[in-house]
């Protein structure tokens, strides 16, 4: 009976550890996605920044 209780306790502890580790991995995944989105936005602004500035300047001059 004591061995079964120890086994069940060990299984419960391992299950809780696995759930905790999964949440940590999910947070890392979200962090990587946010970093990737930020890199894409910075790249787009860098590439299109000059063209947009010229476009808005042209519109301002025409007005």
């Amino acid at each position: 009976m004591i061995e079964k209780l120890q086994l069940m306790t060990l299984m419960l502890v391992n299950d809780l550890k696995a759930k905790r580790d999964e949440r940590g991995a999910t947070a890392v995944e979200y962090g990587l996605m946010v970093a990737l989105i930020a890199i894409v936005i910075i790249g787009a602004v860098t590439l299109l920044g000059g063209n947009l500035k010229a476009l808005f300047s042209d519109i301002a001059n025409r007005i």
Side-chain angles (χ1 to χ4, degrees), residues 2-4 9 13 25-26 34 36-37 45 52 54 58-59 63:
I2 294 176
E3 290 178 10
K4 288 183 181 179
T9 304
V13 168
T26 302
V34 168
L36 181 61
I37 291 170
V45 168
L52 289 175
D58 185 41
I59 292 171
I63 291 177

Side-chain angles (χ1 to χ4, degrees), residues 53-63:
K53 183 178 180 182
L55 177 65
F56 285 124
S57 295
D58 185 41
I59 292 171
N61 289 335
R62 290 182 185 196
I63 291 177

Side-chain angles (χ1 to χ4, degrees), residues 1-57:
M1 180 72 171
I2 294 176
E3 290 178 10
K4 288 183 181 179
L5 184 58
Q6 288 174 341
L7 179 62
M8 289 175 60
T9 304
L10 184 61
M11 290 173 59
L12 180 62
V13 168
N14 284 336
D15 186 48
L16 291 173
K17 284 182 181 178
K19 287 181 181 177
R20 192 173 347 144
D21 290 343
E22 190 174 308
R23 279 185 270 155
T26 302
V28 171
E29 290 169 357
Y30 281 127
L32 290 172
M33 286 192 324
V34 168
L36 181 61
I37 291 170
I39 290 170
V40 169
I41 290 172
I42 290 169
V45 168
T46 301
L47 290 174
L48 299 176
N51 292 341
L52 289 175
K53 183 178 180 182
L55 177 65
F56 285 124
S57 295

